[in-house]
């Protein structure tokens, strides 16, 4: 089955869980509810062939439970491929907490969530995603060891976002090299959509390199802050996708490459941090290819964060974290060339390699 974003009107027609289009033979899906703290969460474990399913927790005000379930299924599947393509001995998992992180996140809720994570005995290991901070993972750590992304003062590797941004920057440079013949981004116009933890750090790398950066966000305060700090231009129009830029970096939420946006996109390269950028990976990956737009697969270039948190499990330090993250440049170039040689979309080329590794390990596991 192929992951696809559906709206609630379409979703009700199909079986609620195993029949969802986003269901991809996930091993386990856990629904967590706690009336006292108001916790409503879903943990998705897609695959544990390579090891425990590691992936962040997202807190978001979904319109309905279908959206939350669809999101956790898509995100956890992506984590399996992310770890496999990056060569980490981790499976794929993710969690979503339904609610507004600004108003509904409390220490009690985070700890209760941690207890649910603990009850899985290490099959799922959490970390931060949208709506989460390092301090939230520190709270989870009070009730379970199955958490990463905790503060450096508490023995963790700290906030993974700057490392994610560095990996995205490396992937973007590789895609630029492939498309424009140079990986120097000076004078290239880059649109960064979403200037949160990762987006801001990406803006810093880009402005340091002399790129012309346009920023967009739904948070006005952030826009002003980041614009002043880095001299980035705030997007003022009302149709961001039509903006004539060289590179589009989606760093907010997923599925921004879809039927409505794809024909407007002017960028020649798409490289960003958001997970699941293609609303439908089969259709939209091909459409980008047909338009001559080079798409750096999201799960490949946003792996810096998982490389960073994996260090907490494997006890490697900053030098190795940076080496592995820098290597995203080489892997991206290899995938782009592989896609061309095999007449595949770049997304499919990356998926094939990741799936091949998972299948090979599964065979090894069953023989041992
Ligand atoms: N943090 C990491 O290490 C990491 C790792 C891998 C992937 N990602 C992915 O990268 C993306 C960004 O992560 P983050 O940690 O920076 O999240 P974040 O919550 O810190 O930032 C997201 C930003 O996007 C903005 N935003 C939301 N909807 C928007 C819209 N429609 N248009 C413009 N801006 C919008 C928010 O206001 C916020 O500033 C997410 O999709 C996340 O899953 C993050």
């Amino acid at each position: 089955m192929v992951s696809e974003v559906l709206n609630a009107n379409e979703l009700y027609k199909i079986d609620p869980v195993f029949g969802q289009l986003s269901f991809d033979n996930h091993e386990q899906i856990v629904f967590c509810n706690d009336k006292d703290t108001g916790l409503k969460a879903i943990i998705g474990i897609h695959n544990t062939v390579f090891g425990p399913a590691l992936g962040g927790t997202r807190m978001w005000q979904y319109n309905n439970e279908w959206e939350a379930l669809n999101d956790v299924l898509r995100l956890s599947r992506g984590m399996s491929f992310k770890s496999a393509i990056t060569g980490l001995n981790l499976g794929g998992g993710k969690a979503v907490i339904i609610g507004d992180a600004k108003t509904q996140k409390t220490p009690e809720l985070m700890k209760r969530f941690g207890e649910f994570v603990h009850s899985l005995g290490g099959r799922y290991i959490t970390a931060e995603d949208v709506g989460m901070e390092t301090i939230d993972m520190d709270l989870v750590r009070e009730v379970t060891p199955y958490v990463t992304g905790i503060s450096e003062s508490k023995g963790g590797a700290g906030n993974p976002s700057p490392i994610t941004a560095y990996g995205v920057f490396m992937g973007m440079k590789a895609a630029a090299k492939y498309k424009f013949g140079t990986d120097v981004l000076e004078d290239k116009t880059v649109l960064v959509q979403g200037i949160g933890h990762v987006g801001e750090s990406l803006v810093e790398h880009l402005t340091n390199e002399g790129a012309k950066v346009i920023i967009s966000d739904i948070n006005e305060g952030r826009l002003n802050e980041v614009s002043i700090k880095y001299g980035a231009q705030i997007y003022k129009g009302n149709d961001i996708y039509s903006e004539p830029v060289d590179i589009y970096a989606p760093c907010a939420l997923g599925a921004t490459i879809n039927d409505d946006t794809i024909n407007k996109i002017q960028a020649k390269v798409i490289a960003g941090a958001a997970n699941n950028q293609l609303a439908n990976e089969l259709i939209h990956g091909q459409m980008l290819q047909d338009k001559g737009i080079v798409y750096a697969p999201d799960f490949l270039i946003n792996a810096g964060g998982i490389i960073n948190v994996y260090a907490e499990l494997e006890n490697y330090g900053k030098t190795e974290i940076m080496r592995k993250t820098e290597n995203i440049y080489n892997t991206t170039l290899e995938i782009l060339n592989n896609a061309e040689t095999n007449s595949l979309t770049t997304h499919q080329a990356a998926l094939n390699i990741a799936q091949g590794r998972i299948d090979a390990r599964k065979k090894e596991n069953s023989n041992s």
Side-chain angles (χ1 to χ4, degrees), residues 58 60 75 82 94 128-131 160-161 164 193-199 216-219 222 251-254 273-275 302 305:
R58 173 173 295 189
W60 190 253
L75 289 165
K82 187 182 305 196
K94 202 91 183 181
E128 50 276 83
D129 191 65
V130 175
S161 303
T164 302
Q193 180 186 38
I195 41 158
H197 291 100
V198 181
S216 109
D217 203 291
I218 49 173
N219 182 333
R222 291 282 305 153
C251 296
L253 296 180
N275 286 305
N302 71 11

Side-chain angles (χ1 to χ4, degrees), residues 301-326:
I301 71 165
N302 71 11
I306 194 139
I307 291 170
N308 193 60
V309 296
Y310 188 56
E312 289 178 30
L313 303 177
E314 293 291 303
N315 286 318
Y316 55 78
K318 279 278 179 245
T319 311
E320 182 59 8
I321 291 171
M322 295 316 283
R323 192 197 63 76
K324 280 185 159 55
T325 307
E326 210 157 296

Side-chain angles (χ1 to χ4, degrees), residues 45-166:
I45 298 179
H46 176 250
N47 193 292
T48 55
V49 166
F50 266 108
L54 195 152
T57 296
R58 173 173 295 189
M59 187 159 185
W60 190 253
Q61 193 140 39
Y62 294 97
N63 288 319
N64 53 59
E65 291 166 21
W66 292 108
E67 273 187 15
L69 178 60
N70 197 35
D71 209 24
V72 80
L73 290 174
R74 281 165 56 85
L75 289 165
S76 55
R77 173 179 181 267
M79 292 309 294
S80 296
F81 296 127
K82 187 182 305 196
S83 286
I85 198 87
T86 311
L88 308 179
N89 285 323
L90 291 171
K94 202 91 183 181
V96 296
I97 298 177
I98 301 171
D100 183 345
K102 286 200 188 79
T103 57
Q104 288 170 267
K105 190 170 63 177
T106 60
E108 293 71 32
L109 180 140
M110 288 313 304
K111 283 195 222 169
R112 189 69 189 100
F113 172 70
E115 285 167 5
F116 280 107
V117 171
H118 192 69
S119 73
L120 295 170
R123 276 175 59 73
Y124 169 66
I125 302 175
T126 198
E128 50 276 83
D129 191 65
V130 175
M132 288 291 143
E133 310 285 340
T134 308
I135 192 176
D136 299 312
M137 295 306 114
D138 292 346
L139 288 164
V140 172
R141 182 66 186 87
E142 289 181 23
V143 295
T144 180
Y146 306 126
V147 54
T148 54
I150 54 177
S151 304
E152 288 176 275
S153 60
K154 294 197 169 5
N159 176 10
S161 303
I163 310 293
T164 302
Y166 185 59

